[in-house]
Amino acid sequence: MVDSQYYLPNEIGVSALDCSVAFHLLSPQEKMYAHYLSRAAWYGGLAVLLQTSPESADIFVLLQRIFRKQTPAQLEQVATAAGLSSEEYQAFLVYAAGLYANMGNYKSFGDTKFIPNLPKDKLKAVVKASQAFQDQPTEMEALWDSCSCLLYSLEDRKKQLGLGDKGISTYFSGNCCLEDAELAQKFLDSKVSNILISILKQINVHYFFTDCAVEGECESCCGSFNFEDKEFIVKRGDYAPLMEKVSYYLQQAQVRAYAANENQRKMLDEYTRSFTFGSVEAHKEGSRYWIKDKGPIVESYIGFIESYRDPFGSRGEFEGFVAVVNKAMSERFTKLVSSAEVLLPELPWPREFEKDTFLKPDFTSLDVLTFAGSGIPAGINIPNYDDIRQSEGFKNVSLGNVLAVAYATKKEKLTFLEEEDKDLFIKWKGPSFEVQVGLHELLGHGSGKLFVQVSQTYCDQPRDWRTGEFTWDSKFSTIASSYEECRAECVGLYLCLNKQVLSIFGHEGQDAEDVVYINWLSMVRAGLLGLEFYTPESKSWRQAHMQARFVILRVLLEAGEGLVGLEEVTGQDSKPDARITLDRSKIHTVGKNAIHKFLCKLQVLKATADVEGGRALYDGYSTVSDSGAHNFLRLRETVLLRKEARKMFVQANTRVNGDSVELVEYEGSVAGLIHSFTERFQDEVEQLEADLLELSKRDASCWC
C-alpha cells in the first residue's frame, strides 16, 4: 500500500476560475493585450517542468500526445477494454490533471511527489491502447520507457524536492551538497551577480552555471573563473526555445500597439531583452516600468520570480500571470494603502527599523485570466528585488476569483475544530482571509527596513550593516522564504486587531470581532495542518508558508494563559483526532503581546542580517518532536490521516478570431482541466514537444 500523501485522491476538488464577466468588460485592445501576454506566460510556464524534476517534461509530452488524439471521454472506452476499472481510469485522469495543475509530478504546495493511484501495468495498458500509441508506436514506446520508472519511483530521495541526499532538485546536479551551494553563492556574490535564473551543475571539480540567453548582451558574465581554488564555468541557454516563444508573444503585444501606455511598452521591451539575453538587469528595469504603470485595467507580471522551491532559497521559478482589475474590491485595498502611513507606526519594532518613507504601491483585487507556473497564490507582493522594493516601491495584488473558490469548504470536512466554531468559521473564513491577505501583502512584505552599508563602491543590493556582505535571501538562504512569510503573517495577525483596518473592509461591531476571531483561529489551525509538510526523515520543511504558520502556532502555545488549546482526542470514527481551541477573550491581550514580542525579534534580526540569531530563533520554533507538552510527531500522523487534498483550478484560454479575442472556458472537472491544456499549446506543437524532450534529455545525466 502506498502512503496516501503520495497520490491524489479520486474525489479531489476541481474548480473553474471564473473571469468571464471581467474579461467581457475589456475593450478590444485590452483583450488583445491580455491574449498575447497570456500566450507568453503559458509558454514560459513550461520551463517549470524542467525546474521541477528530471521526468516531468517527458510525462507532460506523453500525456499531451495521448489527450490530443482522444478526449478523456473517448479514451475511457479504450481504457475499459484494456482492463481498467472506472476507479482506476479516474485515478489516471486525476494524475494527468495533477501534473498539469502543478506543472510537474511534485506538489507545488509541499514539494511532495505524487504518483498515479493505479498499478503500473494498468497505466501501461491504457498508454499502449491509446490512439497516439497506435499512430506512433516507436516514438510512444520510447517516451514511455524514458519516464515510466521515475514516474512511479518512491525511493526515499525521490519522495520530495531537496538538495543532496534530502531530495531531488533540478536547480542543482545530483552530486551537489549544501557546501557546494554555499561556495557557489560566495562566487556569485563576488561577481555581484543575481542568480534568479541560474542552475548549478558540478562535474568533477568544475562548477557550471547556466541560464537562458543567446549570444550578445551580458556575454561578459560568461566564461571560466577561478574562485577559492575551484573553477566556475558560466554558460547560457538552458531554456532558450521556450524563452524565444515568450519573447515572441511579448513583442506581438508591443509591436501591434496593444500596450496602453509608454510604461507598458518599455516594460515589454525590457522583459523581451531579459528573456532573449538572460539579463537580470533588464528584468529589473522592466520591473521598474511595471511599478510605474499605476492602475492598469489588465495587470501582469512575468519572469523567474519566487525562490520557494530552490533548496538553497535563492533561484527563481518561472511564473507569469495576466488578470483583470475588480474595481469594487480594489477600492478597499486603495483605502488600506491610504491608511498605511498611519498603520505602520503601530508595528512593534523601533522607528529606526522602519522605512524612512513609505512608497505607496498599487494594491488591486484581480480576477485571474492566466496564471502559469506551479501553483496559484491568493495574493502577491512583487517585485522580489529588495533594492527596488526599498527605494522605488512595489505592487500588491489580491487574486479575488482565486480567493472565492480556493478556501470554500464543507462543514463535514472541517477538521480539528470544536463543533460550535464550525458554522462561524465557514461564514467568516473568506472575509477574514481577505483581511489577512491585504495586511500580509501590503504591510507585511511592504514594511521594515534592511540596513545598507554605504561605501565608496556603490551597490544596489541590501548588505549587512556590519560586514558589508550580501544579505537576506543570500545570507538567510534556506530559511529566508519561510522566515519572511512568517513575518508577514504576524503583521496580518497583529494589525487585524485594529478597528480602522476592519472598518476599511466593511466590518464593524460584533462582525468585526468575529472576523478577528476566525482569522486567529484559522492561523492556529493552519499551524497544525502545516505538519503535513514536514518530513521527519530529513527533519526538513517542504513548504514555506506552512512552516511559518506552524511557528506561529508554537509562539501562541508558548504564550500560555489558556490562549490556545491543543489536545489529542479520539474521533467519532474511533481513529486518532485532535482539537484546537482559541480563547477569544485573550486575543487582544495575551495573543497580541506574544505576537508583538515575536514580530519585533523577527524584524530586528532580519534588518541587521543577524543570521546566527535568526536561525536560532526560527529553527527553534520550527522543531517538530515527540517531547514537550505536545507530541507533534504523533499529531503529524493524525493530520496526514485526516488531510484534505488541495483544490486544482481550471483556467480559460483565449483565441484570436479575426479582429476579436474569444474566451474559451472549460468545465470545473479533471476532464475540463485536461482539455484546457491540450488546447493551450497548439502552435507548432510537434516542434515544441521536441524542444521539451531535448531540453530534458540534455541534462539527464546531471540529476543521478
Side-chain angles (χ1 to χ4, degrees), residues 432-564:
S432 69
F433 194 65
E434 178 186 278
V435 173
Q436 180 69 13
V437 168
L439 294 171
H440 174 116
E441 300 296 346
L442 175 67
L443 300 175
H445 292 314
S447 65
K449 178 186 290 184
L450 291 176
F451 288 105
V452 179
Q453 176 169 343
V454 179
S455 63
Q456 291 181 341
T457 303
Y458 171 73
C459 178
D460 63 358
Q461 293 279 354
R463 290 173 176 253
D464 186 334
W465 65 279
R466 296 163 299 175
T467 67
E469 296 178 5
F470 285 96
T471 186
W472 193 226
D473 271 7
S474 61
K475 290 205 71 177
F476 280 68
S477 64
T478 54
I479 68 166
S481 292
S482 184
Y483 188 105
E484 173 60 12
E485 294 304 332
C486 187
R487 194 182 71 91
E489 291 284 45
C490 286
V491 168
L493 287 180
Y494 193 79
L495 289 180
C496 82
L497 303 176
N498 186 295
K499 290 184 178 180
Q500 181 182 352
V501 168
L502 295 165
S503 180
I504 288 171
F505 285 89
H507 308 304
E508 306 282 355
Q510 185 59 46
D511 286 353
E513 287 302 313
D514 287 344
V515 166
V516 169
Y517 176 60
I518 295 304
N519 193 37
W520 279 63
L521 181 63
S522 178
M523 185 63 70
V524 294
R525 177 176 179 263
L528 179 61
L529 296 177
L531 287 168
E532 175 189 345
F533 303 95
Y534 177 77
T535 303
E537 293 79 9
S538 60
K539 296 183 178 179
S540 62
W541 285 88
R542 306 187 310 275
Q543 215 292 321
H545 298 79
M546 299 310 285
Q547 178 183 359
R549 292 158 186 164
F550 176 77
V551 166
I552 293 170
L553 170 62
R554 291 284 307 276
V555 169
L556 295 178
L557 283 168
E558 183 182 81
E561 299 187 45
L563 173 68
V564 173

Side-chain angles (χ1 to χ4, degrees), residues 40-143:
W42 284 123
Y43 277 95
L46 294 173
V48 178
L49 294 163
L50 302 161
Q51 291 184 290
T52 298
S53 73
E55 65 272 17
S56 286
D58 290 35
I59 302 170
F60 176 85
V61 173
L62 178 74
L63 294 172
Q64 286 289 87
R65 290 182 178 177
I66 290 173
F67 289 114
R68 202 164 56 245
K69 292 285 186 178
Q70 294 167 291
T71 66
Q74 292 168 339
L75 189 63
E76 184 173 15
Q77 300 175 23
V78 175
T80 302
L84 275 72
S85 67
S86 59
E87 291 79 11
E88 288 170 334
Y89 183 66
Q90 178 67 11
F92 168 55
L93 295 184
V94 165
Y95 177 79
L99 186 119
Y100 289 140
N102 291 276
M103 268 290 97
N105 60 336
Y106 286 75
K107 297 175 186 176
S108 64
F109 200 84
D111 294 343
T112 304
K113 187 173 186 176
F114 59 94
I115 67 172
N117 189 23
L118 71 159
K120 185 176 179 180
D121 63 326
K122 293 293 185 74
L123 178 55
K124 184 176 182 179
V126 74
V127 169
K128 288 203 165 190
S130 68
Q131 188 62 50
F133 197 97
Q134 303 306 308
D135 291 348
Q136 294 182 302
T138 303
E139 293 86 345
M140 289 293 288
E141 183 84 53
L143 193 50

Side-chain angles (χ1 to χ4, degrees), residues 141-212:
E141 183 84 53
L143 193 50
W144 169 259
D145 290 343
S146 72
C147 63
S148 57
C149 290
L150 288 174
L151 189 151
Y152 271 94
S153 176
L154 283 177
E155 296 174 23
D156 285 345
R157 183 167 171 257
K158 294 183 173 68
K159 289 180 178 178
Q160 64 281 315
L161 301 179
L163 180 58
D165 60 1
K166 291 188 176 181
I168 286 293
S169 174
T170 52
Y171 291 96
F172 298 89
S173 61
N175 55 352
C176 284
C177 60
L178 182 60
E179 289 73 21
D180 295 312
E182 290 171 341
L183 177 62
Q185 181 67 57
K186 290 171 65 178
F187 164 72
L188 288 164
D189 287 351
S190 75
K191 303 293 291 182
V192 196
S193 174
N194 193 300
I195 61 171
L196 283 175
I197 53 174
S198 69
I199 298 171
L200 180 64
K201 306 167 189 175
Q202 181 194 158
I203 302 177
N204 299 324
V205 295
H206 301 98
Y207 291 84
F208 288 81
F209 281 103
T210 58
D211 60 23
C212 50

Side-chain angles (χ1 to χ4, degrees), residues 397-414:
V397 298
S398 174
L399 305 181
N401 57 345
V402 176
L403 285 170
V405 298
Y407 299 97
T409 189
K410 297 178 180 178
K411 185 175 180 179
E412 59 269 20
K413 290 190 175 183
L414 264 182

Side-chain angles (χ1 to χ4, degrees), residues 245-495:
K245 279 282 193 182
V246 173
S247 297
Y248 168 78
Y249 283 114
L250 292 177
Q251 287 173 329
Q252 292 302 300
Q254 183 187 30
V255 301
R256 298 192 181 203
Y258 297 131
N261 53 56
E262 190 64 16
N263 281 321
Q264 288 185 1
R265 284 186 284 274
K266 289 181 177 179
M267 173 190 77
L268 294 176
D269 185 57
E270 293 295 339
Y271 287 165
T272 301
R273 189 161 67 90
S274 174
F275 299 131
T276 301
F277 297 111
S279 170
V280 175
E281 284 305 317
H283 194 268
K284 292 176 75 172
E285 194 63 26
S287 297
R288 291 185 172 99
Y289 287 117
W290 179 70
I291 293 168
K292 294 174 184 176
D293 185 28
K294 302 290 186 182
I297 300 300
V298 178
E299 184 63 280
S300 68
Y301 197 63
I302 191 169
F304 294 84
I305 312 300
E306 302 293 355
S307 59
Y308 299 128
R309 300 183 95 183
D310 169 18
F312 196 67
S314 295
R315 291 152 186 82
E317 182 179 75
F318 194 96
E319 70 179 43
F321 77 85
V322 182
V324 183
V325 171
N326 180 319
K327 293 182 179 179
M329 184 61 68
S330 295
E331 288 180 8
R332 299 181 185 179
F333 293 126
T334 300
K335 291 179 182 177
L336 187 64
V337 172
S338 299
S339 303
E341 290 172 300
V342 176
L343 296 171
L344 282 170
E346 298 292 316
L347 292 171
W349 46 78
R351 181 179 56 82
E352 294 79 8
F353 286 80
E354 189 49 67
K355 297 172 185 174
D356 299 327
T357 303
F358 180 73
L359 301 170
K360 290 186 178 181
D362 256 11
F363 197 166
T364 49
S365 177
L366 306 174
D367 285 345
V368 171
L369 170 64
T370 295
F371 204 111
S374 63
I376 308 178
I380 317 171
N381 176 282
I382 38 183
N384 284 338
Y385 304 113
D386 274 325
D387 53 321
I388 294 178
R389 294 164 61 84
Q390 291 282 311
S391 59
E392 300 177 57
F394 52 89
K395 284 187 181 182
N396 297 278
V397 298
S398 174
L399 305 181
N401 57 345
V402 176
L403 285 170
V405 298
Y407 299 97
T409 189
K410 297 178 180 178
K411 185 175 180 179
E412 59 269 20
K413 290 190 175 183
L414 264 182
T415 53
F416 312 130
L417 295 179
E418 297 279 11
E419 282 300 316
E420 55 265 32
D421 281 331
K422 290 183 178 180
D423 288 333
L424 203 65
F425 191 94
I426 289 172
K427 179 179 180 180
W428 293 111
K429 170 59 179 173
S432 69
F433 194 65
E434 178 186 278
V435 173
Q436 180 69 13
V437 168
L439 294 171
H440 174 116
E441 300 296 346
L442 175 67
L443 300 175
H445 292 314
S447 65
K449 178 186 290 184
L450 291 176
F451 288 105
V452 179
Q453 176 169 343
V454 179
S455 63
Q456 291 181 341
T457 303
Y458 171 73
C459 178
D460 63 358
Q461 293 279 354
R463 290 173 176 253
D464 186 334
W465 65 279
R466 296 163 299 175
T467 67
E469 296 178 5
F470 285 96
T471 186
W472 193 226
D473 271 7
S474 61
K475 290 205 71 177
F476 280 68
S477 64
T478 54
I479 68 166
S481 292
S482 184
Y483 188 105
E484 173 60 12
E485 294 304 332
C486 187
R487 194 182 71 91
E489 291 284 45
C490 286
V491 168
L493 287 180
Y494 193 79
L495 289 180

